[in-house]
Amino acid sequence: MRYFLARWTLLAGGLAPLWAWSATYPLPPAGDNIVGGLATVTARQEETLLDIGRRHDLGYDQISTANPGVDPWLPKGGTRILLPTEYVLPDAPRQGIVINVAAMRLFYYPPARPGVPPEVVTYPIGIGREGWRTPVGQASVTGKIKDPSWTPPASIREEHAGNGDPLPAVVPAGPDNPLGQYALRLTLPGYLIHGSNKPWGVGMRVSHGCIRLYPEDISRLFADIPVGTSVRIVNQPWLFGHRQGVYYLQAFQVIDGGPDAHLERDLGEWIARQLPPGTPVPWQRILQIAQAGRGIPTALTGTEQQIRTPAEAIQPPMDAADGTAEEQAAPESSKAAARFWYLPVARFRDPGNAQKVMGLLAQMQPPVSSASSLANGVLTLRAGPYPSKTAAAAEAERIEKNLGIRCGAPLLDENPEKDVFASGETVTER
């Protein structure tokens, strides 16, 4: 079996750090508004959810909320981690910068370029903490500052002094500057889009109202954004999605300034404005999604299989040894009915190259869900799950056509870690 990298040689040549990958997606066709796709990875020993999140351009709240029950500081090697890398675009014009504070994500729509399909780039952000709310409204970029100094306002200096951490009148550029290396000045007085000298705060409510990005993300955004770019800041904890005839709901935790405490009333009124007249409303499902606020687009309509995808079906099957007594005692016919098929994609010795391919799979339309497993120093990447062998084989053809990757034969999930590659054959990475 051969695997070649002709479609992404430039990506693999001279690999950047693992966290250098950013989420850039082609805009969906007219009428649809969902980009990306869910994926899973296996936590490595001694890495945190913050490490995993940054490597996949996810903020702290985003990855931790998507993985309830997983210790964010010590997730334990071998733990399956869900990557919530699927997004319903904010309900706003697709131009310039759109920031959804509820999702803690920034979406940038680059200007149209001849011969290039329209795209959207999205980054995780940190926003204002309680009492220092990031304002919503319209603005524009008025200036770009490299190596900015920071002049903290009197209110912030008083707060720091009261905490025994006095600030100077001006914090010079450098590693101690909370603005990081780049800042975008806005028409909103006193507010910036900037980097941070404390990147692990991205994806949290920690700022005094400004919008923080990872250092590697602000450097890209800074290079791409022209002065005058429009900036629209919205607070949309509920997003109504549509993809290929299926309706989805993506819900985040409601923060201050959002819908009030009357969740059922507000949600009912909102959803009634979204669904076409006469559409059956799965109200209990909608309410559960909103109350959980996990930020995962979940199907509301469609076939049973579509409703399970991507929110539930993406989760890899549990190993038999990890199941409950009832699961292990289930009749064989019951177990067989619940099986899914997986598609062996490739093996890698370099985790960075494996991550690049996972990113490419996630950017296909529709996206391909994938996960990796490590054995004897080699990462095996597999796509799935699929409801049938035929569906998996069809996906293999699509992957080869789009990415030039020749996948292995589909396998049932009864032994997903099985080495399906020819003895001694490993991906040639260049």
Side-chain angles (χ1 to χ4, degrees):
M1 181 180 302
R2 295 188 179 276
Y3 170 83
F4 53 93
L5 307 177
R7 300 294 181 91
W8 63 287
T9 301
L10 291 178
L11 289 175
L15 288 174
L18 287 182
W19 55 77
W21 178 77
S22 62
T24 301
Y25 304 103
L27 284 179
D32 287 357
N33 63 347
I34 301 177
V35 298
L38 301 182
T40 58
V41 295
T42 301
R44 297 197 291 267
Q45 202 68 30
E46 298 182 1
E47 71 177 347
T48 68
L49 275 188
L50 283 78
D51 297 322
I52 298 171
R54 188 173 181 185
R55 191 162 66 243
H56 295 274
D57 223 22
L58 300 169
Y60 173 80
D61 276 9
Q62 187 180 3
I63 193 167
S64 60
T65 303
N67 292 276
V70 176
D71 186 333
W73 301 106
L74 192 63
K76 187 179 177 183
T79 301
R80 298 281 190 182
I81 304 299
L82 174 63
L83 301 178
T85 47
E86 184 171 45
Y87 310 100
V88 178
L89 297 175
D91 184 12
R94 297 179 183 179
Q95 59 187 33
I97 293 174
V98 179
I99 294 167
N100 186 358
V101 294
M104 295 195 213
R105 298 288 305 187
L106 179 151
F107 297 84
Y108 172 53
Y109 300 92
R113 294 174 291 168
V116 178
E119 297 176 328
V120 61
V121 188
T122 179
Y123 301 112
I125 59 172
I127 62 172
R129 65 177 187 262
E130 188 173 353
W132 296 88
R133 188 174 71 195
T134 299
V136 299
Q138 292 184 247
S140 62
V141 176
T142 61
K144 299 167 62 172
I145 311 163
K146 187 178 184 302
D147 297 322
S149 60
W150 179 44
T151 303
S155 57
I156 294 179
R157 293 184 64 189
E158 290 174 5
E159 180 188 66
H160 277 254
N163 294 331
D165 179 29
L167 291 172
V170 177
V171 180
D176 296 327
N177 191 309
L179 302 184
Q181 292 182 292
Y182 302 94
L184 301 174
R185 193 180 300 280
L186 305 177
T187 50
L188 292 170
Y191 293 95
L192 303 168
I193 299 174
H194 61 80
S196 177
N197 64 340
K198 298 178 179 178
W200 305 122
V202 170
M204 300 182 187
R205 300 185 62 193
V206 293
S207 77
H208 288 92
C210 285
I211 296 155
R212 298 182 179 182
L213 280 79
Y214 285 132
E216 58 273 15
D217 288 346
I218 188 63
S219 68
R220 292 191 204 95
L221 188 65
F222 186 89
D224 292 342
I225 292 290
V227 171
T229 297
S230 65
V231 178
R232 185 184 299 265
I233 306 174
V234 299
N235 183 5
Q236 297 176 359
W238 307 324
L239 296 167
F240 184 72
H242 185 271
R243 174 186 271 168
Q244 298 179 345
V246 180
Y247 296 115
Y248 292 79
L249 174 62
Q250 183 175 27
F252 300 91
Q253 297 294 325
V254 175
I255 60 176
D256 50 84
D260 63 25
H262 302 288
L263 175 65
E264 293 193 34
R265 183 198 68 193
D266 295 342
L267 184 61
E269 293 175 354
W270 177 83
I271 202 68
R273 296 193 297 268
Q274 310 304 318
L275 288 168
T279 303
V281 179
W283 176 244
Q284 287 304 315
R285 185 174 182 81
I286 289 171
L287 189 58
Q288 289 171 359
I289 296 167
Q291 289 174 332
R294 292 182 64 194
I296 300 171
T298 306
L300 300 177
T301 60
T303 66
E304 181 180 354
Q305 182 60 27
Q306 287 172 323
I307 287 179
R308 295 190 69 251
T309 304
E312 292 96 351
I314 186 64
Q315 296 288 7
M318 185 183 302
D319 293 336
D322 295 330
T324 64
E326 290 80 3
E327 289 170 331
Q328 293 182 30
E332 284 301 318
S333 58
S334 163
K335 291 181 181 179
R339 288 176 178 171
F340 291 94
W341 290 81
Y342 288 84
L343 198 59
V345 178
R347 296 195 312 176
F348 299 88
R349 294 195 183 280
D350 186 330
N353 285 349
Q355 186 54 49
K356 292 289 186 183
V357 174
M358 291 181 75
L360 292 173
L361 292 171
Q363 292 183 56
M364 287 176 59
Q365 292 297 323
V368 177
S369 301
S370 60
S372 62
S373 57
L374 180 65
N376 300 321
V378 175
L379 278 167
T380 298
L381 183 63
R382 59 192 177 95
Y386 303 99
S388 67
K389 185 177 182 179
T390 301
E395 189 79 294
E397 292 181 6
R398 194 168 71 94
I399 292 172
E400 182 169 6
K401 179 180 178 181
N402 283 269
L403 302 180
I405 299 174
R406 189 176 302 168
C407 300
L411 290 176
L412 273 173
D413 67 356
E414 57 192 357
N415 187 12
E417 309 301 333
K418 179 181 178 182
D419 185 355
V420 296
F421 294 87
S423 177
E425 189 171 1
T426 305
V427 173
T428 300
E429 304 179 45
R430 47 187 175 190

